[in-house]
Amino acid sequence: MPLTVGIANESRGGDRRVAASPASTRALVAAEHTVVVQSTAGSAAGWHDEDYEAAGAVIVRSSDEVLGRATTLLCVRGSGPGAATWAGADQRHTLVGMFDPLGEPAAMTALARRGITVLALDLLPRITRAQPMDVLSSQATVAGYKAVIVAATLAPRLFPMLTYAAGTIPPAKVLVLGAGVAGLQAIATARRLGANVSGYDVRAAVREQVESLGARFVDLSDVAAGGEDASGYATGADAAEQARQQAALAAEIAASDVVVTTALVPGQRSPLLVTAAAIRAMKPGSVIVDIAAERGGNCEGTVAGKTVQVGGVLIVGAENLPASVPQDASQMLGRNLANFIIHVARDGAVDLDSDDPIIQGTLVTRAGVVVHERVAALTGNAPVPGGSS
Ligand code: NAD
């Protein structure tokens, strides 16, 4: 028995992305699922209702009709500004998508109280088998690319070295702090534009990846040891280590025309890497794009969602960059979500009791309770025995 999967228009939550593309709809329909799409859901991403119809979807007029016909709802953002789209969901519904559960644990409690089952793909285990469903990677790829495009637009300098009749313009210097998925894409994009690029990450293992993109690795291993958990995520540094890191980065920052910051530690405020003193030492006209803005930012003075000028330096508090490239971000996200549904659906339902780490890692709420241990701990509730980790 197939699932009936619903897609709503999420523009009410201020997002231009959509949780299914015509291509991902086709994949779900080929796997014999029914796909119900709210009219205009894909408009901001560049797709007409007819494109979804041609892919085999049923088009309905309102989000209420989507909620009435589908029990499994795919969402771009199920919490924060996106929560409004799902106000009518109840205990019949399973929400699958991005929720930022470690950043918004209270929203998870609220969804649990409404009896909604939440499968948060932000918590997908970073195992090889789960890569085709990895929404964090796909959206971070878009964010890293767009951060460099934003920086190049605001910078007073050209990125590539240019030789013209009267001389040579040297390449702009771009420093990328944090070389995870977003940071590596930022490095690759800045290199493609011809900039002289350096990259830094607290995880020493990243050196090879940074260098393979043609960038210089900033090695601070003598001042910041750089812990890593079993899933490959950075663990937070203590205050003394962070102060040493900030001091050591200051000279690199001062020498850069553009700094793109992407450093995150899951479940924690993002580390402060660029201090006010480091900003004062930058050249006028320099640009910082802080992708970590939504988590507090890597830069002193970052204001999420705003561009501020500090001295002569522009600091962009980048918020939801993937939504500014809605078509390809939705194309990638839609494939991730469809791959997840095709993987977990069995006989018309998702077997929530399966011991598959892909289900157990993403299951956040069930039967009125936050069952995910890490999220439950953040809500102040005792972890539920037998829940997810
Ligand atoms: P993330 O978004 O959590 O963090 C971004 C980067 O910030 C990380 O590289 C992190 O090391 C870095 N960082 C944190 N604190 C820092 C500090 N104080 N100074 C400098 N840098 C700091 O990370 P991500 O991009 O989601 O990647 C996390 C890990 O998961 C990486 O090891 C990545 O290779 C891995 N990964 C694995 C898979 C897979 O399926 N196997 C897929 C994607 C990512």
Side-chain angles (χ1 to χ4, degrees):
M1 222 173 60
L3 290 184
T4 300
V5 178
I7 316 294
N9 183 330
E10 298 202 33
S11 59
R12 215 175 355 149
D15 212 298
R16 295 166 65 202
R17 290 169 294 176
V18 57
S21 63
S24 71
T25 298
R26 202 168 290 116
L28 286 165
V29 170
E32 299 188 344
H33 299 297
T34 301
V35 181
V36 178
V37 177
Q38 181 184 355
S39 177
T40 73
S43 297
W47 293 305
H48 296 295
D49 290 351
E50 296 76 39
D51 299 326
Y52 287 96
E53 257 172 338
V58 178
I59 305 294
V60 297
R61 270 180 314 152
S62 66
S63 59
D64 284 348
E65 280 179 79
V66 174
L67 266 57
R69 291 178 70 152
T71 49
T72 304
L73 305 169
L74 302 187
C75 39
V76 178
R77 288 202 291 183
S79 66
T85 310
W86 313 107
D90 59 30
Q91 69 282 354
R92 289 169 299 148
H93 294 114
T94 297
L95 260 57
V96 181
M98 297 191 288
F99 293 84
D100 189 16
L102 299 176
E104 304 247 15
M108 298 300 101
T109 306
L111 288 165
R113 289 210 177 110
R114 286 161 56 198
I116 296 167
T117 302
V118 170
L119 289 157
L121 267 62
D122 338 41
L123 295 174
L124 196 74
R126 251 59 199 277
I127 52 177
T128 307
R129 186 160 79 74
Q131 276 181 8
M133 311 163 202
D134 188 347
V135 295
L136 287 186
S137 288
S138 71
Q139 302 306 290
T141 299
V142 179
Y145 159 84
K146 189 62 189 273
V148 170
I149 302 302
V150 169
T153 308
L154 294 173
R157 300 206 43 201
L158 299 165
F159 270 30
M161 183 182 89
L162 283 182
T163 301
Y164 70 123
T168 300
I169 303 277
K173 286 192 174 154
V174 174
L175 173 66
V176 178
L177 302 179
V181 179
L184 289 172
Q185 188 55 234
I187 290 171
T189 305
R191 285 288 302 140
R192 282 184 207 116
L193 289 174
N196 178 337
V197 185
S198 305
Y200 167 65
D201 198 288
V202 76
R203 294 181 295 117
V206 170
R207 171 193 280 270
E208 213 178 290
Q209 290 162 342
V210 169
E211 289 177 347
S212 73
L213 292 169
R216 176 178 66 95
F217 183 68
V218 177
D219 186 351
L220 302 184
S221 51
D222 49 341
V223 297
E228 203 173 302
D229 68 15
S231 341
Y233 283 111
T235 50
D238 63 26
E241 190 174 27
Q242 199 169 76
R244 288 199 301 275
Q245 204 181 18
Q246 289 164 353
L249 283 173
E252 297 284 344
I253 293 165
S256 304
D257 300 296
V258 165
V259 178
V260 175
T261 64
T262 75
L264 292 175
V265 178
Q268 293 183 25
R269 188 206 180 281
S270 44
L272 187 63
L273 299 175
V274 184
T275 62
I279 296 168
R280 277 195 297 278
M282 293 180 85
K283 294 182 284 277
S286 302
V287 177
I288 300 173
V289 178
D290 191 347
I291 299 188
E294 281 163 283
R295 291 282 167 74
N298 292 142
C299 179
E300 211 166 342
T302 290
V303 182
K306 294 216 160 27
T307 298
V308 294
Q309 184 154 354
V310 177
V313 178
L314 278 183
I315 306 173
V316 181
E319 242 184 359
N320 202 4
L321 282 177
S324 70
V325 194
Q327 184 163 109
D328 282 332
S330 303
Q331 192 75 266
M332 295 159 95
L333 178 64
R335 285 317 287 238
N336 294 147
L337 291 168
N339 287 336
F340 180 82
I341 294 295
I342 290 165
H343 178 76
V344 301
R346 292 275 172 285
D347 302 326
V350 179
D351 177 10
L352 301 176
D353 293 315
S354 157
D355 56 8
D356 184 345
I358 290 176
I359 293 178
Q360 290 311 312
T362 53
L363 182 61
V364 177
T365 69
R366 181 183 188 184
V369 180
V370 174
V371 294
H372 194 285
E373 271 181 34
R374 286 182 73 194
V375 182
L378 291 170
T379 63
N381 295 323
V384 175
S388 313
S389 54

